[in-house]
Amino acid sequence: MNAASIVIAGVGGQGTLLASRIIGGAAIKSGCDVKVSEVHGMSQRGGSVITFVRYGDGKVSSPVIDSGQADAVLAFELLEAYRCVPYVKKAGGRIIANLQKSDPMPVITGAMDFPENIPEKIRGLGIPLDLLDATALAVKSGNSRAVNVVLIGRLAAALSFPKEIWLAVLRETVKPAFLETNVSAFDEGYYYKGK
Amino acid sequence: MKKLLLGNEAIARGAYEAGVTVAAAYPGTPSTEITEYIAAYDEIYAEWSPNEKVALETAFGASLAGARAICAMKHVGLNVAADPLFTASYTGVGGGLAVCVADDPGMHSSQNEQDSRHYAAASKVLMLEPSDSAECRAFTVQAFELSEKFDTPVLLRLTTRVSHSRSLSETGERAAFPNKKYEKNILKNVMMPGMARARHKIVEQRIRDLTEYAETCGLNTVEMNENPPRSRKFASEEAHNNFSPSAGTARKIGVITSGIAYQYAREALGDSVSYLKLGMVYPLPEKKITGFVSSVDICYVIEELDPVIENHCKRLGLNVLGKEAFSDAPGKNPGVQYPSALLGEYTASHIREVVLGEKPEAFSVSEKIPDRPPVMCAGCPHRGAFHVLNQLKLTVTGDIGCYTLGALPPLSAIDASLCMGASIGMAHGMSKADAGLSKKTVAVIGDSTFLHSGITGLMDVVYNRGSSVVMILDNRITGMTGHQDHPGTGRTIKGEPANAVSLEKICEAVGVRRVNVIDPFDIDGLKKLLKQELEADEPSVIITRRPCRLLIKAEQPRFSVSREACKNCGQCMKIGCPAISKQENAAVIDGTLCAGCGLCAGICKFKAIAATEVSV
Ligand code: SF4
Ligand code: SF4
């Protein structure tokens, strides 16, 4: 019943599935039971994609996270972070979000406006928000595609698994040729000090 | 060692371990990965069939030949494959035959929310329902044993959250399953009335035997939790009181459930209630359920979609709380209100609220957050075709695939979509009903969908003197489900070269004399061609051919808007490319999203858009 619940939110095609696999992998290596709920199909065409990871020492039953149940929301895009506010656990939940904004079709067509001051609004609700420019950090690490790994690094710093476990999972998950830049991308997130 | 397996991967693993040698399927979310994972095993022959009916017939043939065989489809795929299923129930099997059917409660990626358990009852076929990956593997292995033991196909029912969740599962070795010897047996395998009458008796006896089996088999498990429940405030004190002889005191709560709903119930209620978990959902046991209900003071049936188990209990005269207790849920997915428990997915929070009276707590946002519906990819070949259809203001009957997204603004170029292959029949019917519509109605269908079930519709148009225009959007792949090959691509599921079926030749062979092939990005050419073909008094096919953007690996240029030249007229916004947005003074192209197709550049009247750099 006391499983840790992590929501990973992004836009279809952003690589949220890989993130869920790495987090799940770290939990297994730490001896936890794990469930991951993925999204395939239509939403992967640029729609909102929400993936759940749950793990704990005891048996984890549901692969799904309900509103008010997430210990952490890891958002690859700012609007998706805002959309996921209802998932955040009132007692102790937090959001880690990439600064990047991506306009959804209703904004592109002008039918709706992109909400302003999202970080302030999230913090205004009393939710701790850890905001980083993961896209820039990924570029800095030498691998512009590793935005998801930067974000995982940031999340890893907030979770209790030792760093070696994360690195071991990274070694098993990414292609050897990209390992080095992925590890530096991970470190960019892991050691990020905020600004 | 236990592994974190996707539900669909665990089904494939189970099939492998059970010694399956033949697998056939047509892709459909959420079932697609079952067959993709199976195809990775060298020991198993796997194929993408043109449609689900052919897939089931192929798997049936393999079973007839004595092999263990499996086929997989999404819920609506079973509508297509229902015909062979119902009679395979009569013939029974040779080698074990498992039919996976994946329902999609909540319609994550489907056009309806049908509950496949009805098919099990209607076709009188045994159905199993796993609740996590470990069970996906174990139940698949068992499906083959039961199929052979009871001489029946076995349905394996999945739902999106089981198919697409990862959880830990053991894996085992592959068991050799030498084909049973094939023997001709027309009394069993040729279903003409005389033979089928005899077989129907066998089917009815089989259901009685299976019901008996369901009473004692290990698939249906009882977990009695003896700790007396704490006295608690119930959500609906009155309803509960009706069930308890000792109202107001501690009561024993029972839950009857199956599949993913079991996991939700366990999450919500833990050890505070007792469970009857049904791994076999057709046929359902009677004594076992009756015994369980009478061992508790109050009993809930927790199942998504239709009240199948609930109605069974009610037929047995049992007092259970089902759909009415779970209607009008406040604790559902954020932002979504479900009017009734028949719709969408259940959640643990809602179960906790209904059964234990514990209200969920959550933050809420009052501001309206713009939705992010799926869109056709930047660079999608379909965008050109839909732009033209939109400009010509045609009535468009659509079909199932990525291109169904052409219905959404700003392209807004589809009037109707129903099921696989329906676009052509719909266009034909509309023009027969209203001759005026005939000159401005176009059917739009993908290459894979056309081969799945569009050919028969086209035959209808030709044979019955129709004059519809059919556009086949040929992107050389099955796109929406994640890029699977099909009979037109020239490759098998295992990546081997194959004979490619020619769309042009099929259309000609069916009797269409006007067959044109054009690039969907040739906007002016396509416009002219469409106008011309709509005027013709005979059937016409326009094949718009350009590969799916995601198949193109070569570097493409990126486009950008010149701030000086852009008049901010908004014309380029009308194609609905996710890379283009309208800013204060000019349109802007997001260079990280642009796929370099150049469609927007051709549309801009002021020549403000041009290729800038080669992407790296
Ligand atoms: S996957 Fe291919 S066909 Fe589907 S929307 Fe994207 S580019 Fe178009
Ligand atoms: S060239 Fe234009 S239409 Fe094509 S992907 Fe880039 S921005 Fe979109």
Side-chain angles (χ1 to χ4, degrees), chain B residues 151-166:
Chain B
D151 193 11
T152 176
V154 174
L155 286 160
L156 267 166
R157 188 217 188 198
L158 302 160
T159 52
T160 301
R161 299 294 190 183
V162 172
S163 280
H164 286 167
S165 291
R166 289 177 187 270

Side-chain angles (χ1 to χ4, degrees), chain A residues 18-182:
Chain A
L18 181 75
S20 69
R21 276 169 214 173
I22 291 177
I23 300 166
I28 292 180
K29 274 214 186 326
S30 312
C32 295
D33 187 26
V34 179
K35 288 202 170 163
V36 178
S37 175
E38 302 182 349
V39 174
H40 301 241
M42 194 173 245
S43 303
Q44 285 294 351
R45 299 279 164 270
S48 297
V49 171
I50 294 175
T51 305
F52 306 123
V53 182
R54 306 191 68 232
Y55 61 85
D57 295 333
K59 201 167 163 30
V60 176
S61 296
S62 175
V64 177
I65 299 171
D66 299 340
S67 55
Q69 304 290 325
D71 298 288
V73 169
L74 185 66
F76 283 43
E77 191 273 348
L78 202 56
L79 185 63
E80 297 311 309
Y82 195 31
R83 195 188 308 287
C84 284
V85 159
Y87 281 112
V88 177
K89 196 183 266 177
K90 280 211 151 172
R94 63 164 78 208
I95 298 181
I96 297 168
N98 188 6
L99 263 177
Q100 191 214 340
K101 290 185 194 175
S102 154
D103 288 350
M105 204 41 77
V107 171
I108 292 182
T109 59
M112 284 184 84
D113 291 326
F114 198 98
E116 291 183 357
N117 306 327
I118 290 176
E120 291 72 16
K121 286 174 187 161
I122 292 176
R123 290 191 176 118
L125 288 165
I127 301 172
L129 172 66
D130 191 354
L131 204 58
L132 64 163
D133 188 345
T135 318
L137 292 172
V139 171
K140 195 172 148 208
S141 78
N143 185 347
S144 59
R145 287 167 198 268
V147 175
N148 50 3
V149 182
V150 173
L151 287 163
I152 290 167
R154 192 72 214 127
L155 176 74
L159 301 180
S160 57
F161 308 131
K163 194 181 162 200
E164 302 79 69
I165 290 213
W166 293 98
L167 295 179
V169 178
L170 268 185
R171 266 195 296 279
E172 287 164 18
T173 326
V174 304
K175 291 209 182 90
F178 298 113
L179 183 62
E180 200 179 314
T181 52
N182 272 295

Side-chain angles (χ1 to χ4, degrees), chain B residues 378-379 559 575 577 579-580 589 594-598 600:
Chain B
F559 285 70
I575 58 174
C577 174
I580 314 177
I589 292 176
C594 172
C597 70
C600 55

Side-chain angles (χ1 to χ4, degrees), chain B residues 172-344:
Chain B
E173 294 300 310
R174 177 171 169 92
F177 183 82
N179 282 6
K180 293 186 172 175
K181 194 174 166 352
Y182 173 70
E183 273 164 36
K184 178 166 171 168
N185 181 352
I186 65 164
L187 293 178
K188 185 170 186 298
N189 294 323
V190 180
M191 285 301 95
M192 295 160 67
M195 293 85 146
R197 276 182 208 116
R199 291 301 302 178
H200 190 182
K201 272 191 211 139
I202 293 172
V203 170
E204 296 305 331
Q205 181 58 44
R206 184 177 75 208
I207 289 302
R208 283 195 289 276
D209 295 345
L210 280 167
T211 307
E212 212 36 62
Y213 176 76
E215 303 290 0
T216 53
C217 74
L219 290 157
N220 298 329
T221 53
V222 173
E223 280 170 56
M224 286 311 271
N225 285 310
E226 291 301 343
N227 2 349
R230 8 179 203 123
S231 83
R232 55 173 68 85
K233 180 136 176 45
F234 286 106
S236 156
E237 200 55 48
E238 205 182 318
H240 289 258
N241 288 347
N242 290 339
F243 283 87
S244 175
S246 49
T249 61
R251 277 154 290 191
K252 266 205 250 166
I253 302 173
V255 166
I256 305 177
T257 182
S258 74
I260 194 67
Y262 166 74
Q263 302 294 353
Y264 297 156
R266 264 234 140 256
E267 183 70 37
L269 310 170
D271 289 338
S272 66
V273 305
S274 298
Y275 300 89
L276 170 54
K277 176 181 178 297
L278 300 165
M280 182 169 158
V281 289
Y282 184 80
L284 290 165
E286 297 178 356
K287 291 177 250 161
K288 187 155 208 156
I289 290 181
T290 308
F292 179 77
V293 173
S294 60
S295 73
V296 294
D297 298 319
I298 170 170
C299 190
Y300 289 90
V301 176
I302 300 183
E303 59 186 325
E304 291 179 326
L305 300 181
D306 293 338
V308 173
I309 301 171
E310 177 184 346
N311 287 346
H312 175 78
C313 293
K314 290 187 169 157
R315 263 196 305 278
L316 295 173
L318 301 172
N319 226 348
V320 291
L321 276 170
K323 289 292 165 185
E324 73 278 17
F326 288 92
S327 280
D328 289 309
K332 293 272 185 182
N333 295 342
V336 185
Q337 282 296 329
Y338 288 77
S340 141
L342 298 173
L343 319 184

Side-chain angles (χ1 to χ4, degrees), chain B residues 377-380 383 521 549 557-561 572 575-581 588-591 593-603 609-611:
Chain B
C377 305
C380 175
R383 187 166 280 112
F521 283 172
R549 178 61 184 86
R558 284 182 192 179
F559 285 70
S560 65
V561 183
C572 60
I575 58 174
C577 174
I580 314 177
S581 59
V588 171
I589 292 176
D590 180 337
L593 294 178
C594 172
C597 70
L599 183 65
C600 55
I603 279 161
I609 304 178

Side-chain angles (χ1 to χ4, degrees), chain A residues 45, chain B residues 376-377 380-382 402 475 483 548-550:
Chain A
R45 299 279 164 270
Chain B
M376 285 187 276
C377 305
C380 175
H382 302 325
C402 288
N475 66 348
H483 303 93
C548 165
R549 178 61 184 86
L550 303 189

